[in-house]
Amino acid sequence: MSLFGTNTGFGSGGTGVFGSTTTDSHNPMKDVEVTSPPDDSISCLAFSPPTMPGNFLIGGSWANDVRCWEVQDNGQTVPKAQQMHTGPVLDVCWSDDGSKVFTASCDKTAKMWDLNSNQTIQIAQHEGPIRTIHWIKAPNYSCVMTGSWDKTLKFWDTRSPNPMMSLQMPERCYCADVVYPMAVVATAERGLIVYQLENQPSEFRRIESPLKHQHRCVAIFKDKQSKPTGFALGSIEGRVAIHYINPPNPAKDNFTFKCHRSNGTNTATPQDIYAVNAISFHPVHGTLATVGSDGRFSFWDKDARTKLKTSEQLDQPITACCFNNNGNIFAYASSYDWSKGHEYYNPQKKNYIFLRNAAEELKPRNKK
Amino acid sequence: MGRKKKKQMKPWCWYCNRDFDDEKILIQHQKAKHFKCHICHKKLYTGPGLAIHCMQVHKETIDGVPNAIPGRTDIELEIYGMEGIPEKDVEERRRVLEQKTQDNQKKKQQDDSDEDDDDEEAGPSFQQPVTTVQPQGAYVPMTQPGMAPVPAPGMPLGSYSGMPPMMPGVPPMMPGMLPVMPRMPPGMMPMSGMMPPTHGMPPMMPGMPPGLPPHMGHHPGIPHMAQAPPTSTRPAVPATTVSTPQPSVSKPLFPSAGQVQQAGSGVAVSSSAPPSAAPKPTFPAYTQSSATAAANTSSTVAKPGTPVTSKPATLTTTSATSKLIHPDEDISLEELRAQLPRYQCKIPSAGQAHVTSPPVAPMGGVLPPQQGIPAQQPGVRHPMQGPYGALPQGVPGYVPGGMPPYGQAPPMVPPFQAAPPRPTIGMRPPVMSPGGRY
């Protein structure tokens, strides 16, 4: 049932096929493979919100498409639909009610995909590729936030062609996250800005970066009362900073940790340091997952400051990850991220999205 | 605090075997005695850091760590405080300490019962393995988790990272605060660091408005040590503090937080929660300003193995010990990739671009797309109708905000049709074909 335009691989039926190749390095963790993966690198993944029954996964790719799969309880994935942009898709997000998907692309537009009717309309326009897109649901307004390489952050009411608001950023937007009423945007040149979204979005604070290298990914975490209280910021230098917005003791509470590096303790050979491509927080446990260019994912407990698990190494970098709404599923995408430049790109190489049961492995360790 | 103790021994300096009460003092000592450049007196953070500095800045090589005892002069070893000390030296130190305590005990006991036992000397050595195993056993688990060893350098790192946001704020406080800082001799470090339980000496910090009693928790500690200066700063202090008691502030945005933030931002941005919230005894300004005094530099922290990035154009990626797996240009991977011709935006050909078939499936209709037939749904508000070859690419003519169709497809489309921006337009095969990408 090749739902999608074409399939280079599986496509015969919607069953999750386990790695059928002889070498297992493409799926050393033996996780469930999503069927009909995109034909080029996957840039972003997003699971449906709890307001919808079931689990639906959206993935955007460098093949200009956005695909939707239904993930069934038995682990089977069923391709459902696909939409296209005219340029690579860099970010996707769901509306809070699960009826719409927003997609952002290098073609400088963002679209709203109504899943019920399977129609898309353009809802945003920038002067440069749109790198991030997030849905904001506030008590007194709802809108889509887009961050672009044109150094602006725009807010769109989907019914109007003009942005409700446009905020200037110091540099190109590299990554962002939103957990109402807080939004964090990390830009080029290690810029870091926190916005508050109550009443209307406004810049809250510019923070001097806790990291010394290019920012790559950011994810907001919440406190025990489910209020956003800080964020995790990943850089290209195999390091993640945990930063609280208003900590009682910044010197002690904020910290960074190294990750996604090769040969940890062996000092004889130079250590390879990989970029952290994405960070996701488990919606229930508050622990986090990081995925890197080294082709591994790791789970961490930021409160106990310990590592929970590191995966085996996949043969390709892991470019995106996300948890489903109840934290039972961890999805991660294995595809080339350009970390070694143009030379290592192989268009024939298959891209994968894997699903892993995340219920147990992300439980926090007991504090010692 | 929240972490298991990684070492049960008091911090000591690997280079000269001196003991210290606190790792912070140890680090200060190392920076001042062992990692200080003899040419320009700049304090580096590690041995290799010093070597690199001398080479790059002064074009001079150094062959050993200054002021180190023989056998401990290795300039290549990356030691920072208690981090990076070779395990065998740690053990040796422990043994030596054990021996000292044994010797002390022996002298006290003067027990003759073991005279005939020629294991008298072996005794301590038996015990040593026993005692050393345990701490080692305790040590190991902490090194296992990838994060654990890092927090130690990470802690001071954390303090630096906490600082930078502070730094911009500090100057505003300076006028009054400045006099305060120099009053803090290095010995003060532990005091501020440990946040002495209130000395309850508000009078010691004259001029500080009563609104900040909790902050006083720190201040008293300071004048406590250096008696003379406080009086002289009295007049200066009120000047600065005037700004702090500002009422409101920008929304207590993030409820969980509240309290005093970096005092600097508290003044400049006035975002700290005002009178309310029993602010904790820790006065971030002091923690950080003391950290400043100690750290001597603001945000730069060179951590083991990672080179500092240089400016925009390229990254400094390699060092002897590590290599960043990232292209040299300091732009994001996505930007680099998007520059390639193969990823330039294309105009879809007729009927290929979007799925517009009516819903069918139960799920509320998310349906397999098939060749969309634009004609089917004229009202679809699709800028990308095939026949028009529309291309909402934000072409300068089209404008930011000049948005395409919201229920008015026909009128909107023609403008797009007008000037497809790219030369490669329209010729491209539909994206959906497999690898049919160029």
Side-chain angles (χ1 to χ4, degrees):
Chain A
M1 93 164 141
S2 63
L3 254 314
F4 295 102
T6 58
N7 262 292
T8 48
F10 306 98
S12 50
T15 53
V17 180
F18 287 85
S20 56
T21 54
T22 48
T23 59
D24 204 59
S25 57
H26 85 279
N27 185 11
M29 302 304 289
K30 310 244 192 301
D31 287 325
V32 173
E33 272 185 44
V34 168
T35 56
S36 303
D39 296 320
D40 203 345
S41 302
I42 294 121
S43 57
C44 47
L45 292 171
F47 266 107
S48 50
T51 40
M52 268 174 95
N55 289 299
F56 291 85
L57 176 65
I58 294 283
S61 84
W62 283 79
N64 302 3
D65 63 354
V66 189
R67 299 189 177 197
C68 177
W69 297 264
E70 178 182 3
V71 179
Q72 293 166 345
D73 292 337
N74 59 0
Q76 281 199 5
T77 53
V78 180
K80 284 291 197 194
Q82 169 176 334
Q83 287 292 344
M84 304 295 297
H85 268 266
T86 52
V89 175
L90 296 184
D91 199 11
V92 291
C93 74
W94 289 80
S95 62
D96 61 301
D97 63 358
S99 65
K100 316 272 190 299
V101 169
F102 300 97
T103 60
S105 166
C106 285
D107 64 14
K108 308 179 192 172
T109 71
K111 298 194 184 198
M112 176 169 77
W113 180 6
D114 182 325
L115 296 169
N116 292 327
S117 62
N118 203 9
Q119 310 281 351
T120 64
I121 61 169
Q122 181 175 341
I123 51 142
Q125 180 75 53
H126 271 266
E127 292 178 35
I130 305 181
R131 179 67 185 88
T132 66
I133 190 163
H134 291 85
W135 172 250
I136 298 176
K137 175 98 174 110
N140 57 331
Y141 72 94
S142 297
C143 69
V144 175
M145 180 180 96
T146 52
S148 164
W149 290 344
D150 68 3
K151 306 187 188 180
T152 63
L153 193 65
K154 293 191 200 265
F155 300 82
W156 309 84
D157 176 332
T158 59
R159 299 161 296 192
S160 160
N162 292 317
M164 294 162 40
M165 175 179 294
S166 178
L167 296 175
Q168 191 64 32
M169 295 190 291
E171 257 290 356
R172 300 150 278 166
C173 174
Y174 276 179
C175 51
D177 194 14
V178 169
V179 173
Y180 186 82
M182 173 170 142
V184 176
V185 176
T187 69
E189 306 298 329
R190 297 167 51 231
L192 192 52
I193 312 158
V194 178
Y195 297 84
Q196 72 78 27
L197 305 170
E198 270 178 279
N199 295 322
Q200 66 172 19
S202 62
E203 199 177 296
F204 174 68
R205 188 188 304 163
R206 294 202 177 181
I207 299 180
E208 182 154 348
S209 175
L211 298 174
K212 299 290 155 238
H213 288 72
Q214 186 191 112
H215 296 162
R216 182 134 182 85
C217 50
V218 70
I220 293 174
F221 57 81
K222 303 190 271 200
D223 59 17
K224 303 260 189 306
Q225 289 78 38
S226 282
K227 298 247 183 285
T229 184
F231 56 87
L233 176 70
S235 75
I236 58 171
E237 183 246 354
R239 193 182 293 265
V240 170
I242 300 289
H243 192 93
Y244 289 82
I245 298 295
N246 280 333
N249 187 350
K252 281 209 153 75
D253 296 334
N254 296 336
F255 65 96
T256 72
F257 61 91
K258 295 191 268 195
C259 50
H260 300 291
R261 298 173 176 219
S262 64
N263 58 317
T265 49
N266 174 10
T267 49
T269 58
Q271 188 180 54
D272 290 327
I273 300 178
Y274 296 87
V276 182
N277 284 329
I279 303 176
S280 287
F281 278 89
H282 191 276
V284 172
H285 298 310
T287 46
L288 68 148
T290 61
V291 296
S293 289
D294 57 347
R296 296 182 195 262
F297 61 81
S298 292
F299 301 143
W300 312 82
D301 180 344
K302 71 177 199 318
D303 300 312
R305 302 197 185 189
T306 58
K307 184 192 306 199
L308 301 172
K309 180 186 181 77
T310 293
S311 73
E312 295 302 316
Q313 188 167 29
L314 276 66
D315 58 354
Q316 291 186 100
I318 302 182
T319 49
C321 69
C322 74
F323 287 99
N324 76 328
N325 63 69
N326 61 12
N328 287 342
I329 310 177
F330 175 64
Y332 58 101
S334 166
S335 47
Y336 187 53
D337 60 359
W338 229 251
S339 50
K340 293 188 176 176
H342 174 86
E343 302 76 35
Y344 283 77
Y345 177 51
N346 177 1
Q348 264 61 55
K349 193 147 172 56
K350 204 160 148 39
N351 303 282
Y352 299 93
I353 301 175
F354 296 113
L355 303 177
R356 185 175 182 81
N357 187 315
E360 289 304 314
E361 288 175 329
L362 278 114
K363 286 196 171 151
R365 291 281 175 270
N366 296 325
K367 274 289 237 313
K368 298 185 179 110
Chain B
M1 319 297 148
R3 274 207 293 284
K4 211 161 70 158
K5 298 279 286 179
K6 338 202 295 195
K7 318 179 196 328
Q8 282 88 354
M9 352 199 287
K10 288 176 75 111
W12 54 281
C13 178
W14 181 82
Y15 294 102
C16 59
N17 267 346
R18 276 174 55 185
D19 258 340
F20 296 89
D21 291 334
D22 194 49
E23 188 160 11
K24 281 206 180 95
I25 314 184
L26 165 63
I27 290 170
Q28 269 191 299
H29 152 84
Q30 285 178 338
K31 289 180 63 175
K33 284 279 174 327
H34 304 300
F35 305 148
K36 184 144 89 169
C37 175
H38 65 287
I39 304 171
C40 65
H41 302 300
K42 181 177 165 76
K43 292 189 199 147
L44 282 307
Y45 288 83
T46 65
L50 174 62
I52 292 168
H53 162 84
C54 283
M55 177 58 63
Q56 289 179 344
V57 178
H58 308 298
K59 311 281 186 281
E60 212 182 304
T61 50
I62 52 174
D63 41 14
V65 174
N67 298 316
I69 59 177
R72 296 285 178 88
T73 59
D74 190 353
I75 196 83
E76 309 267 78
L77 261 187
E78 185 110 23
I79 293 185
Y80 180 78
M82 292 293 277
E83 296 300 312
I85 301 182
E87 196 47 25
K88 57 177 174 58
D89 288 333
V90 175
E91 281 177 354
E92 196 186 348
R93 175 82 177 170
R94 247 186 227 119
R95 240 173 276 131
V96 165
L97 287 175
E98 296 296 330
Q99 206 143 34
K100 278 202 200 121
T101 45
Q102 295 296 329
D103 288 342
N104 288 341
Q105 285 170 7
K106 280 220 155 72
K107 285 182 188 127
K108 286 173 194 150
Q109 292 163 8
Q110 292 297 343
D111 193 0
D112 292 341
S113 61
D114 293 322
E115 251 177 328
D116 51 341
D117 186 0
D118 61 357
D119 282 345
E120 188 171 353
E121 294 204 327
S125 68
F126 284 147
Q127 290 171 20
Q128 277 162 21
V130 172
T131 51
T132 49
V133 162
Q134 194 192 357
Q136 228 173 0
Y139 192 84
V140 169
M142 286 314 292
T143 55
Q144 289 289 1
M147 279 163 70
V150 177
M155 268 273 297
L157 177 62
S159 71
Y160 302 137
S161 64
M163 253 174 29
M166 173 53 190
M167 288 313 285
V170 171
M173 293 281 280
M174 273 323 174
M177 292 322 220
L178 237 187
V180 169
M181 280 166 57
R183 289 194 283 115
M184 289 165 35
M188 265 318 301
M189 278 308 307
M191 285 299 281
S192 331
M194 295 188 315
M195 272 114 35
T198 56
H199 289 238
M201 294 204 245
M204 286 305 281
M205 215 41 208
M208 291 298 253
L212 298 176
H215 302 324
M216 295 309 92
H218 274 272
H219 295 243
I222 297 153
H224 194 47
M225 291 299 174
Q227 305 290 336
T231 47
S232 63
T233 60
R234 227 165 271 190
V237 176
T240 26
T241 57
V242 169
S243 48
T244 10
Q246 286 160 2
S248 86
V249 130
S250 57
K251 16 246 165 170
L253 222 215
F254 304 119
S256 60
Q259 288 128 352
V260 192
Q261 308 163 346
Q262 294 85 17
S265 54
V267 175
V269 178
S270 69
S271 47
S272 54
S276 71
K280 305 236 165 120
T282 65
F283 188 36
Y286 275 83
T287 320
Q288 283 153 2
S289 51
S290 54
T292 323
N296 210 27
T297 54
S298 57
S299 38
T300 51
V301 181
K303 278 329 279 178
T306 51
V308 179
T309 41
S310 58
K311 275 335 209 154
T314 55
L315 304 171
T316 325
T317 57
T318 20
S319 77
T321 54
S322 65
K323 179 177 185 319
L324 259 184
I325 307 295
H326 193 278
D328 274 341
E329 300 89 333
D330 194 15
I331 61 175
S332 68
L333 296 176
E334 289 75 30
E335 279 175 299
L336 196 53
R337 187 171 188 169
Q339 289 168 359
L340 271 63
R342 70 184 298 142
Y343 291 118
Q344 295 311 316
C345 304
K346 314 164 279 317
I347 301 182
S349 341
Q352 292 279 354
H354 294 283
V355 179
T356 52
S357 23
V360 160
M363 183 223 161
V366 175
L367 225 232
Q370 276 317 324
Q371 301 308 341
I373 300 146
Q376 229 177 358
Q377 296 178 356
V380 153
R381 300 115 80 205
H382 236 298
M384 314 273 294
Q385 294 296 327
Y388 298 103
L391 190 57
Q393 281 191 25
V395 169
Y398 304 141
V399 162
M403 286 290 301
Y406 281 97
Q408 301 135 7
M412 292 302 290
V413 173
F416 288 107
Q417 196 180 20
R422 316 219 183 231
T424 58
I425 258 178
M427 303 307 136
R428 291 297 176 186
V431 183
M432 280 164 62
S433 55
R437 260 183 309 225
Y438 335 62

